[in-house]
Amino acid sequence: MRLVVIAAALSGTCLHSHSATAQDAADSQATPATAESKAVTYPDDFWTEAESPVYPRGAVISENALFVVDSDAPGVWTVPWPADKAANPERYVTGSRYLRKTMNRPFCATPHPEGGVLVGDAATREIYHITPNADAPGGQDAKPLNGGFLGIPMALAVSPDGKTIYVGDAERRATFALPIEGGEPELVVRVNARGLIFDDEGALYAVTPDADAVVKINVGEKTSEPVVTDRPYGFPGGIAWHDGTGFVSDVYGKCIWQFTADGKTEKWFDEELLRGPVGLSATADAVIVSDPKAKQVYRIDRESKEVTKLFAE
């Protein structure tokens, strides 16, 4: 069996432009530049033979599917939505196994308002609009939207009117915007967003690894203000919002926090089953958590805190 070797730390243009810090390297494989590069060896057929996500970093909800970003066996998986029990995840799109090729290292995704999914890829410094297409190579179309202008797209959100993509760039430590149809990104604010989510009133919230853990962004005025300060979270990985309440995953703390618009924050879920939670989504009755170390996505009931595994074992 032929083997393909992949470096967890990407080289060349995908490296951070600043020195790595403990926070930057915290989310095991959250950024391609880590303090120490580790080679990972996979079988040549690994990408097509994997039956479920290997490193499920993100989980985002569309009307009829839950999209799960897989950084190690690069691609996006889906499970039916609404989900209240375990199911077998299905491949939605498949990334390339080759360095600097399309979607070799996806870190984030969000549903596209016109169908398909938007994927931020650190390997090619690109955001792709990906739609299944049986007649296309690999069974999918991948339209690049920003021409490689970005550094490391770590977070994506689409404006409530569906016209603008907002992206957190970990290399430039800033948040950018570009038209939904694509174009050169424009600087919005110098906020190092590792997760982005719009609230019910159209304000954009960002979770960061910096001194201000949660920041509220006024996208119209291109201003920002701190919401949660003093770094209460060990290492924030993802952010979600629904009906006046925000949630933050804590990779180091192995827990989920909740916060309010006035900056109050407290632990919301702290159970041993969480090993390194990253991606978050929230609905009226549940919080969806992707945990790459557990290779699982969980549904946590907001009232009872009952946990349901969404991947069949």
Side-chain angles (χ1 to χ4, degrees):
M1 174 175 63
R2 186 164 64 90
L3 298 180
V4 177
V5 178
I6 300 214
L10 304 180
S11 60
T13 59
C14 288
L15 293 178
H16 283 286
S17 59
H18 61 283
S19 299
T21 65
Q23 286 79 20
D24 291 327
D27 175 14
S28 85
Q29 299 182 25
T31 62
T34 57
E36 184 177 332
S37 176
K38 296 181 180 180
V40 181
T41 303
Y42 293 132
D44 189 37
D45 58 359
F46 180 82
W47 283 259
T48 57
E49 293 300 317
E51 296 181 356
S52 63
V54 176
Y55 196 88
R57 261 200 108 255
V60 291
I61 299 167
S62 70
E63 291 184 359
N64 55 14
L66 178 71
F67 291 109
V68 179
V69 181
D70 189 345
S71 293
D72 272 7
V76 178
W77 300 71
T78 62
V79 294
W81 187 260
D84 57 5
K85 60 182 179 180
N88 293 317
E90 296 183 359
R91 283 187 178 274
Y92 185 76
V93 294
T94 302
S96 174
R97 71 189 69 183
Y98 299 111
L99 188 65
R100 299 198 183 109
K101 298 298 182 181
T102 300
M103 223 172 66
N104 170 257
R105 195 67 175 156
F107 279 168
C108 53
T110 195
H112 192 288
E114 296 180 0
V117 64
L118 295 165
V119 179
D121 179 32
T124 53
R125 309 167 68 90
E126 188 60 82
I127 297 171
Y128 295 99
H129 177 200
I130 301 180
T131 53
N133 182 351
D135 297 326
Q140 62 203 30
D141 286 325
K143 178 185 176 183
L145 299 181
N146 78 90
F149 176 88
L150 296 167
I152 302 172
M154 291 288 290
L156 291 174
V158 175
S159 60
D161 64 7
K163 295 181 178 180
T164 306
I165 303 168
Y166 291 89
V167 52
D169 186 338
E171 182 177 281
R172 292 176 172 84
R173 303 177 69 85
T175 300
F176 292 83
L178 67 155
I180 193 72
E181 65 271 13
E184 183 173 314
E186 175 183 346
L187 177 66
V188 180
V189 288
R190 292 287 179 184
V191 171
N192 185 16
R194 300 303 175 88
L196 290 168
I197 189 70
F198 279 94
D199 71 6
D200 311 309
E201 298 178 354
L204 183 62
Y205 282 87
V207 64
T208 87
D210 300 331
D212 296 330
V214 176
V215 176
K216 184 178 181 180
I217 301 171
N218 185 318
V219 297
E221 298 181 3
K222 296 185 177 180
T223 59
S224 64
E225 59 179 311
V227 175
V228 178
T229 59
D230 299 327
R231 294 197 56 81
Y233 317 132
F235 186 80
I239 190 169
W241 182 276
H242 192 277
D243 194 25
T245 302
F247 298 89
V248 171
S249 59
D250 189 340
V251 181
Y252 278 172
K254 301 179 182 179
C255 64
I256 308 298
W257 297 73
Q258 68 177 15
F259 70 92
T260 54
D262 60 2
K264 295 178 182 178
T265 189
E266 61 182 0
K267 281 187 181 180
W268 178 77
F269 185 86
D270 186 11
E271 299 291 341
E272 291 185 0
L273 64 88
L274 293 181
R275 297 173 57 188
V278 181
L280 286 181
S281 291
T283 68
D285 56 4
V287 174
I288 310 302
V289 184
S290 60
D291 190 331
K293 291 185 178 180
K295 298 184 179 181
Q296 184 61 261
V297 173
Y298 301 105
R299 179 192 183 277
I300 305 174
D301 187 275
R302 289 180 62 168
E303 184 175 347
S304 68
K305 305 291 179 67
E306 181 180 353
V307 179
T308 302
K309 293 181 179 180
L310 298 187
F311 292 166
E313 296 180 335

